[in-house]
Amino acid sequence: MNFLFVSADAALITDLAWQVHREGHDVRYYIEAERDKEIGDGFVPKTDDWRAEVEWADVIVFDDIWVGSDIGTGALAQELREEGHAVVGGTPNTDRLEEDRGYAMDVLEEHGVNTIEQRIFRDFDEGIEYVRRNRAPYVIKPLGEVQNVKRLLYVGNEDDGSDVVEVLRAYKQAWGHRMKGFQLQRKVEGVEIAVCGFFNGETFVDPVNFNFEHKKLFPGNIGPSTGEMGTSMFWAGRNRLFEETLGRLEPWLAEEGYVGSIDINCIVNEHGIYPLEFTPRFGYPTITLQEESFESSTAQFFYDLAHGNDPELSVHSGYQIAVRIVLPPFPFTDEKTYDENSRNAAVVFETDSREGVHIEDAKLVDGQWRAAGESGIPLVVTGKGETMQEARKQAYDRVDDIVIPNLYYRDDIGERWISGDGDRLLAWGYLGPAGE
């Protein structure tokens, strides 16, 4: 089969393209961002003109929604589907779920999903005054283009919201020219878990994926937000957690004609489920971990998904974790630091095995794996096991066999499940069948 992978920014589907290529299918990979064009070199066949490959492709796969661009991938995917092409990608409205947090909450409420108290502000002073009048801890979530600057997301700690007021004042001064708006969301305590399903244009595919993001840079969930440093997860059936969130959006997604992965991150506690935000696209490194846990063909799965078939998806039955291996100055941008410490850094393996080692921002040069691009995230390392502890051991044993000067990573991926999150979710009844 012929697969065309299209990336405008950050080259986020390199490993998926590589996996499909290794399964024996023809792949062409397009990267628009000039700084990222070398990512995947030597691993995956490339193209400089993705539109010229559309008629050749049996399946077209988009990676992101292209926040801040004039035309999102949802519009492109919808246009191509209307022309008769098989596409993994969204629609303008599903793109908007991520771009416009207020719209996302409206969609959830219209379909009977509980939401956290939240308000959208376009003016910093109005937001500050709101917190002063309604004293409580809040989460600040930037809107629009700067929502990709992950370190701007701020989770309040003070019961009276005083720290949120001070952060908003600082953002007004430092980011007021770029941050055109922000969401204030009431902070809720509980277990953070994401519900992720693959949608074939009509219905969700069984099983469903449940994953736990680790967004902070340092172990213990401290430091700047990074997008994600690693993921732990498992697969299950349509339990209560799914049915009360993504399951209620199934008719809406079918009406939209959405095809691909969609994720809703939630806080849950003994009182209820509270959605935080959507990811209407692949998650990273979640897709790498999902791909690692597939026991059936990855290419066949995405072919069937894009063609509206009912894929036969066989997955690992236990637990899985993924660890992002990063280099300076990640998660920040500093060209001098990157040039001195990370650019073209060689990846050295202490064993012959490459099991569980996945590429993110990497290239292959004369048989040598090297860091590529500008982001400083060359690899993702995964592990599986019948228990989360076994998955952790396998992943970190593999990490120990990798040498890159100046590498760093979180060593606590999966520990939250072991230390009580799993027990709480089971005790609250979210992982059993719907209705129990």
mmCIF file of all heavy atoms in Angstrom, residues 169-204:
data_model
loop_
_atom_site.group_PDB
_atom_site.id
_atom_site.type_symbol
_atom_site.label_atom_id
_atom_site.label_comp_id
_atom_site.label_asym_id
_atom_site.label_seq_id
_atom_site.Cartn_x
_atom_site.Cartn_y
_atom_site.Cartn_z
ATOM 1 N N ARG A 169 -0.392 39.263 35.808
ATOM 2 C CA ARG A 169 0.286 40.557 35.683
ATOM 3 C C ARG A 169 1.602 40.405 34.913
ATOM 4 O O ARG A 169 1.938 41.224 34.057
ATOM 5 C CB ARG A 169 0.570 41.121 37.074
ATOM 6 C CG ARG A 169 -0.643 41.732 37.755
ATOM 7 C CD ARG A 169 -0.269 42.167 39.151
ATOM 8 N NE ARG A 169 -1.370 42.857 39.814
ATOM 9 C CZ ARG A 169 -1.454 43.019 41.131
ATOM 10 N NH1 ARG A 169 -0.494 42.534 41.909
ATOM 11 N NH2 ARG A 169 -2.471 43.661 41.668
ATOM 12 N N ALA A 170 2.344 39.333 35.230
ATOM 13 C CA ALA A 170 3.616 39.108 34.550
ATOM 14 C C ALA A 170 3.396 38.796 33.070
ATOM 15 O O ALA A 170 4.131 39.279 32.195
ATOM 16 C CB ALA A 170 4.361 37.955 35.222
ATOM 17 N N TYR A 171 2.360 37.987 32.771
ATOM 18 C CA TYR A 171 2.066 37.649 31.377
ATOM 19 C C TYR A 171 1.656 38.889 30.584
ATOM 20 O O TYR A 171 2.000 39.028 29.407
ATOM 21 C CB TYR A 171 0.962 36.592 31.310
ATOM 22 C CG TYR A 171 1.409 35.190 31.624
ATOM 23 C CD1 TYR A 171 2.734 34.914 31.975
ATOM 24 C CD2 TYR A 171 0.514 34.124 31.575
ATOM 25 C CE1 TYR A 171 3.141 33.615 32.263
ATOM 26 C CE2 TYR A 171 0.920 32.829 31.855
ATOM 27 C CZ TYR A 171 2.224 32.571 32.205
ATOM 28 O OH TYR A 171 2.619 31.290 32.476
ATOM 29 N N LYS A 172 0.904 39.767 31.235
ATOM 30 C CA LYS A 172 0.488 40.995 30.547
ATOM 31 C C LYS A 172 1.699 41.789 30.091
ATOM 32 O O LYS A 172 1.742 42.304 28.961
ATOM 33 C CB LYS A 172 -0.381 41.844 31.476
ATOM 34 C CG LYS A 172 -0.809 43.178 30.856
ATOM 35 C CD LYS A 172 -1.610 44.010 31.848
ATOM 36 C CE LYS A 172 -1.989 45.370 31.243
ATOM 37 N NZ LYS A 172 -2.749 46.207 32.195
ATOM 38 N N GLN A 173 2.704 41.867 30.939
ATOM 39 C CA GLN A 173 3.885 42.661 30.614
ATOM 40 C C GLN A 173 4.780 41.958 29.602
ATOM 41 O O GLN A 173 5.299 42.580 28.679
ATOM 42 C CB GLN A 173 4.675 42.947 31.892
ATOM 43 C CG GLN A 173 5.774 43.983 31.709
ATOM 44 C CD GLN A 173 6.246 44.535 33.039
ATOM 45 O OE1 GLN A 173 5.882 44.044 34.102
ATOM 46 N NE2 GLN A 173 7.056 45.569 32.989
ATOM 47 N N ALA A 174 4.952 40.639 29.769
ATOM 48 C CA ALA A 174 5.915 39.918 28.934
ATOM 49 C C ALA A 174 5.310 39.349 27.661
ATOM 50 O O ALA A 174 6.000 39.215 26.645
ATOM 51 C CB ALA A 174 6.552 38.790 29.749
ATOM 52 N N TRP A 175 4.021 39.004 27.701
ATOM 53 C CA TRP A 175 3.406 38.300 26.582
ATOM 54 C C TRP A 175 2.163 38.995 26.030
ATOM 55 O O TRP A 175 1.501 38.451 25.144
ATOM 56 C CB TRP A 175 3.022 36.872 27.013
ATOM 57 C CG TRP A 175 4.205 36.000 27.226
ATOM 58 C CD1 TRP A 175 4.907 35.814 28.380
ATOM 59 C CD2 TRP A 175 4.859 35.193 26.245
ATOM 60 N NE1 TRP A 175 5.943 34.947 28.191
ATOM 61 C CE2 TRP A 175 5.934 34.540 26.882
ATOM 62 C CE3 TRP A 175 4.620 34.950 24.890
ATOM 63 C CZ2 TRP A 175 6.785 33.667 26.220
ATOM 64 C CZ3 TRP A 175 5.475 34.077 24.225
ATOM 65 C CH2 TRP A 175 6.543 33.455 24.879
ATOM 66 N N GLY A 176 1.844 40.163 26.553
ATOM 67 C CA GLY A 176 0.613 40.834 26.143
ATOM 68 C C GLY A 176 0.502 41.076 24.652
ATOM 69 O O GLY A 176 -0.598 41.090 24.089
ATOM 70 N N HIS A 177 1.645 41.236 23.980
ATOM 71 C CA HIS A 177 1.631 41.509 22.540
ATOM 72 C C HIS A 177 1.326 40.265 21.727
ATOM 73 O O HIS A 177 0.949 40.366 20.556
ATOM 74 C CB HIS A 177 2.976 42.089 22.106
ATOM 75 C CG HIS A 177 4.134 41.164 22.324
ATOM 76 N ND1 HIS A 177 4.532 40.754 23.572
ATOM 77 C CD2 HIS A 177 4.968 40.569 21.437
ATOM 78 C CE1 HIS A 177 5.578 39.931 23.449
ATOM 79 N NE2 HIS A 177 5.856 39.807 22.169
ATOM 80 N N ARG A 178 1.493 39.066 22.330
ATOM 81 C CA ARG A 178 1.272 37.815 21.590
ATOM 82 C C ARG A 178 0.102 37.002 22.128
ATOM 83 O O ARG A 178 -0.547 36.287 21.385
ATOM 84 C CB ARG A 178 2.528 36.938 21.631
ATOM 85 C CG ARG A 178 3.671 37.452 20.763
ATOM 86 C CD ARG A 178 4.804 36.450 20.732
ATOM 87 N NE ARG A 178 4.377 35.167 20.178
ATOM 88 C CZ ARG A 178 5.080 34.044 20.277
ATOM 89 N NH1 ARG A 178 6.224 34.052 20.951
ATOM 90 N NH2 ARG A 178 4.649 32.934 19.735
ATOM 91 N N MET A 179 -0.153 37.079 23.414
ATOM 92 C CA MET A 179 -1.232 36.297 24.008
ATOM 93 C C MET A 179 -2.542 37.061 23.843
ATOM 94 O O MET A 179 -2.852 37.966 24.613
ATOM 95 C CB MET A 179 -0.942 36.014 25.490
ATOM 96 C CG MET A 179 -1.888 34.990 26.105
ATOM 97 S SD MET A 179 -1.657 34.774 27.905
ATOM 98 C CE MET A 179 -0.011 34.075 27.952
ATOM 99 N N LYS A 180 -3.310 36.678 22.847
ATOM 100 C CA LYS A 180 -4.533 37.405 22.509
ATOM 101 C C LYS A 180 -5.720 37.029 23.383
ATOM 102 O O LYS A 180 -6.783 37.627 23.294
ATOM 103 C CB LYS A 180 -4.881 37.177 21.041
ATOM 104 C CG LYS A 180 -3.764 37.561 20.074
ATOM 105 C CD LYS A 180 -3.304 38.995 20.276
ATOM 106 C CE LYS A 180 -2.202 39.367 19.296
ATOM 107 N NZ LYS A 180 -1.668 40.719 19.532
ATOM 108 N N GLY A 181 -5.529 36.038 24.220
ATOM 109 C CA GLY A 181 -6.601 35.628 25.118
ATOM 110 C C GLY A 181 -6.150 34.454 25.964
ATOM 111 O O GLY A 181 -5.099 33.851 25.724
ATOM 112 N N PHE A 182 -6.929 34.137 26.993
ATOM 113 C CA PHE A 182 -6.594 33.015 27.859
ATOM 114 C C PHE A 182 -7.868 32.512 28.519
ATOM 115 O O PHE A 182 -8.876 33.219 28.627
ATOM 116 C CB PHE A 182 -5.558 33.413 28.922
ATOM 117 C CG PHE A 182 -5.962 34.582 29.778
ATOM 118 C CD1 PHE A 182 -6.635 34.390 30.977
ATOM 119 C CD2 PHE A 182 -5.698 35.885 29.365
ATOM 120 C CE1 PHE A 182 -7.017 35.474 31.757
ATOM 121 C CE2 PHE A 182 -6.073 36.975 30.139
ATOM 122 C CZ PHE A 182 -6.739 36.772 31.339
ATOM 123 N N GLN A 183 -7.798 31.261 28.930
ATOM 124 C CA GLN A 183 -8.898 30.643 29.662
ATOM 125 C C GLN A 183 -8.502 30.523 31.125
ATOM 126 O O GLN A 183 -7.382 30.123 31.445
ATOM 127 C CB GLN A 183 -9.197 29.252 29.097
ATOM 128 C CG GLN A 183 -10.327 28.522 29.814
ATOM 129 C CD GLN A 183 -10.399 27.055 29.417
ATOM 130 O OE1 GLN A 183 -9.502 26.285 29.715
ATOM 131 N NE2 GLN A 183 -11.449 26.692 28.707
ATOM 132 N N LEU A 184 -9.416 30.905 32.007
ATOM 133 C CA LEU A 184 -9.260 30.621 33.434
ATOM 134 C C LEU A 184 -10.198 29.471 33.772
ATOM 135 O O LEU A 184 -11.420 29.582 33.609
ATOM 136 C CB LEU A 184 -9.602 31.839 34.278
ATOM 137 C CG LEU A 184 -8.586 32.992 34.313
ATOM 138 C CD1 LEU A 184 -9.100 34.115 35.197
ATOM 139 C CD2 LEU A 184 -7.221 32.503 34.794
ATOM 140 N N GLN A 185 -9.615 28.385 34.230
ATOM 141 C CA GLN A 185 -10.391 27.189 34.545
ATOM 142 C C GLN A 185 -10.234 26.884 36.027
ATOM 143 O O GLN A 185 -9.110 26.893 36.550
ATOM 144 C CB GLN A 185 -9.880 26.018 33.703
ATOM 145 C CG GLN A 185 -10.745 24.782 33.732
ATOM 146 C CD GLN A 185 -10.225 23.745 32.742
ATOM 147 O OE1 GLN A 185 -9.169 23.158 32.933
ATOM 148 N NE2 GLN A 185 -10.956 23.529 31.668
ATOM 149 N N ARG A 186 -11.353 26.675 36.710
ATOM 150 C CA ARG A 186 -11.287 26.369 38.142
ATOM 151 C C ARG A 186 -10.494 25.078 38.356
ATOM 152 O O ARG A 186 -10.736 24.074 37.685
ATOM 153 C CB ARG A 186 -12.698 26.208 38.712
ATOM 154 C CG ARG A 186 -12.755 25.990 40.217
ATOM 155 C CD ARG A 186 -12.356 27.237 40.988
ATOM 156 N NE ARG A 186 -13.353 28.282 40.889
ATOM 157 C CZ ARG A 186 -14.309 28.504 41.791
ATOM 158 N NH1 ARG A 186 -14.404 27.742 42.864
ATOM 159 N NH2 ARG A 186 -15.164 29.490 41.619
ATOM 160 N N LYS A 187 -9.546 25.121 39.274
ATOM 161 C CA LYS A 187 -8.706 23.955 39.542
ATOM 162 C C LYS A 187 -9.505 22.904 40.301
ATOM 163 O O LYS A 187 -10.207 23.206 41.264
ATOM 164 C CB LYS A 187 -7.477 24.381 40.347
ATOM 165 C CG LYS A 187 -6.509 23.251 40.647
ATOM 166 C CD LYS A 187 -5.331 23.768 41.453
ATOM 167 C CE LYS A 187 -4.385 22.655 41.851
ATOM 168 N NZ LYS A 187 -3.258 23.152 42.676
ATOM 169 N N VAL A 188 -9.381 21.653 39.843
ATOM 170 C CA VAL A 188 -10.053 20.527 40.490
ATOM 171 C C VAL A 188 -8.994 19.494 40.858
ATOM 172 O O VAL A 188 -8.107 19.187 40.055
ATOM 173 C CB VAL A 188 -11.103 19.891 39.554
ATOM 174 C CG1 VAL A 188 -11.709 18.653 40.199
ATOM 175 C CG2 VAL A 188 -12.188 20.898 39.212
ATOM 176 N N GLU A 189 -9.081 18.960 42.078
ATOM 177 C CA GLU A 189 -8.127 17.943 42.523
ATOM 178 C C GLU A 189 -8.647 16.555 42.159
ATOM 179 O O GLU A 189 -9.846 16.300 42.142
ATOM 180 C CB GLU A 189 -7.924 18.027 44.038
ATOM 181 C CG GLU A 189 -7.379 19.356 44.527
ATOM 182 C CD GLU A 189 -5.931 19.589 44.113
ATOM 183 O OE1 GLU A 189 -5.275 18.622 43.669
ATOM 184 O OE2 GLU A 189 -5.471 20.745 44.235
ATOM 185 N N GLY A 190 -7.725 15.640 41.860
ATOM 186 C CA GLY A 190 -8.103 14.271 41.536
ATOM 187 C C GLY A 190 -7.015 13.589 40.730
ATOM 188 O O GLY A 190 -5.850 13.981 40.756
ATOM 189 N N VAL A 191 -7.408 12.565 39.991
ATOM 190 C CA VAL A 191 -6.493 11.825 39.119
ATOM 191 C C VAL A 191 -6.630 12.364 37.707
ATOM 192 O O VAL A 191 -7.736 12.455 37.165
ATOM 193 C CB VAL A 191 -6.813 10.315 39.135
ATOM 194 C CG1 VAL A 191 -5.946 9.569 38.119
ATOM 195 C CG2 VAL A 191 -6.605 9.741 40.536
ATOM 196 N N GLU A 192 -5.497 12.731 37.104
ATOM 197 C CA GLU A 192 -5.522 13.201 35.715
ATOM 198 C C GLU A 192 -5.338 12.008 34.789
ATOM 199 O O GLU A 192 -4.353 11.264 34.903
ATOM 200 C CB GLU A 192 -4.420 14.233 35.478
ATOM 201 C CG GLU A 192 -4.466 14.853 34.093
ATOM 202 C CD GLU A 192 -3.494 15.998 33.909
ATOM 203 O OE1 GLU A 192 -2.856 16.415 34.913
ATOM 204 O OE2 GLU A 192 -3.360 16.482 32.772
ATOM 205 N N ILE A 193 -6.275 11.813 33.858
ATOM 206 C CA ILE A 193 -6.235 10.686 32.937
ATOM 207 C C ILE A 193 -6.829 11.126 31.602
ATOM 208 O O ILE A 193 -7.783 11.913 31.567
ATOM 209 C CB ILE A 193 -6.996 9.462 33.505
ATOM 210 C CG1 ILE A 193 -6.926 8.266 32.534
ATOM 211 C CG2 ILE A 193 -8.440 9.807 33.848
ATOM 212 C CD1 ILE A 193 -7.478 6.972 33.128
ATOM 213 N N ALA A 194 -6.254 10.635 30.529
ATOM 214 C CA ALA A 194 -6.758 10.958 29.195
ATOM 215 C C ALA A 194 -7.441 9.731 28.596
ATOM 216 O O ALA A 194 -6.931 8.609 28.689
ATOM 217 C CB ALA A 194 -5.624 11.410 28.290
ATOM 218 N N VAL A 195 -8.599 9.970 27.986
ATOM 219 C CA VAL A 195 -9.345 8.931 27.284
ATOM 220 C C VAL A 195 -9.107 9.142 25.799
ATOM 221 O O VAL A 195 -9.373 10.217 25.263
ATOM 222 C CB VAL A 195 -10.849 9.020 27.594
ATOM 223 C CG1 VAL A 195 -11.594 7.857 26.958
ATOM 224 C CG2 VAL A 195 -11.092 9.058 29.096
ATOM 225 N N CYS A 196 -8.603 8.123 25.114
ATOM 226 C CA CYS A 196 -8.206 8.279 23.716
ATOM 227 C C CYS A 196 -8.837 7.173 22.871
ATOM 228 O O CYS A 196 -8.720 5.984 23.200
ATOM 229 C CB CYS A 196 -6.692 8.227 23.582
ATOM 230 S SG CYS A 196 -6.086 8.422 21.893
ATOM 231 N N GLY A 197 -9.497 7.573 21.786
ATOM 232 C CA GLY A 197 -10.098 6.599 20.886
ATOM 233 C C GLY A 197 -9.723 6.873 19.441
ATOM 234 O O GLY A 197 -9.455 8.011 19.058
ATOM 235 N N PHE A 198 -9.694 5.825 18.640
ATOM 236 C CA PHE A 198 -9.520 5.958 17.197
ATOM 237 C C PHE A 198 -10.896 5.900 16.541
ATOM 238 O O PHE A 198 -11.674 4.977 16.792
ATOM 239 C CB PHE A 198 -8.623 4.845 16.652
ATOM 240 C CG PHE A 198 -7.164 5.024 16.986
ATOM 241 C CD1 PHE A 198 -6.603 4.339 18.058
ATOM 242 C CD2 PHE A 198 -6.366 5.876 16.243
ATOM 243 C CE1 PHE A 198 -5.260 4.495 18.372
ATOM 244 C CE2 PHE A 198 -5.025 6.046 16.546
ATOM 245 C CZ PHE A 198 -4.475 5.351 17.614
ATOM 246 N N PHE A 199 -11.192 6.890 15.697
ATOM 247 C CA PHE A 199 -12.508 7.041 15.093
ATOM 248 C C PHE A 199 -12.387 6.832 13.589
ATOM 249 O O PHE A 199 -11.492 7.404 12.949
ATOM 250 C CB PHE A 199 -13.068 8.435 15.394
ATOM 251 C CG PHE A 199 -14.549 8.552 15.256
ATOM 252 C CD1 PHE A 199 -15.386 8.131 16.273
ATOM 253 C CD2 PHE A 199 -15.116 9.076 14.100
ATOM 254 C CE1 PHE A 199 -16.765 8.237 16.163
ATOM 255 C CE2 PHE A 199 -16.493 9.185 13.975
ATOM 256 C CZ PHE A 199 -17.325 8.768 15.006
ATOM 257 N N ASN A 200 -13.279 6.020 13.005
ATOM 258 C CA ASN A 200 -13.168 5.673 11.586
ATOM 259 C C ASN A 200 -14.124 6.452 10.680
ATOM 260 O O ASN A 200 -14.376 6.049 9.543
ATOM 261 C CB ASN A 200 -13.378 4.173 11.381
ATOM 262 C CG ASN A 200 -14.825 3.738 11.612
ATOM 263 O OD1 ASN A 200 -15.658 4.536 12.053
ATOM 264 N ND2 ASN A 200 -15.125 2.483 11.332
ATOM 265 N N GLY A 201 -14.653 7.565 11.191
ATOM 266 C CA GLY A 201 -15.607 8.355 10.428
ATOM 267 C C GLY A 201 -17.049 8.080 10.812
ATOM 268 O O GLY A 201 -17.937 8.892 10.535
ATOM 269 N N GLU A 202 -17.288 6.948 11.475
ATOM 270 C CA GLU A 202 -18.638 6.573 11.894
ATOM 271 C C GLU A 202 -18.719 6.174 13.359
ATOM 272 O O GLU A 202 -19.713 6.433 14.023
ATOM 273 C CB GLU A 202 -19.149 5.413 11.021
ATOM 274 C CG GLU A 202 -19.316 5.770 9.553
ATOM 275 C CD GLU A 202 -19.858 4.607 8.742
ATOM 276 O OE1 GLU A 202 -20.067 3.511 9.319
ATOM 277 O OE2 GLU A 202 -20.072 4.783 7.528
ATOM 278 N N THR A 203 -17.664 5.517 13.876
ATOM 279 C CA THR A 203 -17.720 5.000 15.230
ATOM 280 C C THR A 203 -16.312 4.843 15.779
ATOM 281 O O THR A 203 -15.323 4.873 15.036
ATOM 282 C CB THR A 203 -18.455 3.639 15.262
ATOM 283 O OG1 THR A 203 -18.658 3.239 16.613
ATOM 284 C CG2 THR A 203 -17.670 2.569 14.518
ATOM 285 N N PHE A 204 -16.232 4.655 17.094
ATOM 286 C CA PHE A 204 -14.945 4.396 17.720
ATOM 287 C C PHE A 204 -14.563 2.926 17.561
ATOM 288 O O PHE A 204 -15.401 2.038 17.598
ATOM 289 C CB PHE A 204 -14.989 4.737 19.208
ATOM 290 C CG PHE A 204 -14.821 6.206 19.489
ATOM 291 C CD1 PHE A 204 -15.921 6.990 19.821
ATOM 292 C CD2 PHE A 204 -13.569 6.806 19.417
ATOM 293 C CE1 PHE A 204 -15.770 8.342 20.077
ATOM 294 C CE2 PHE A 204 -13.407 8.160 19.669
ATOM 295 C CZ PHE A 204 -14.514 8.934 19.993
#
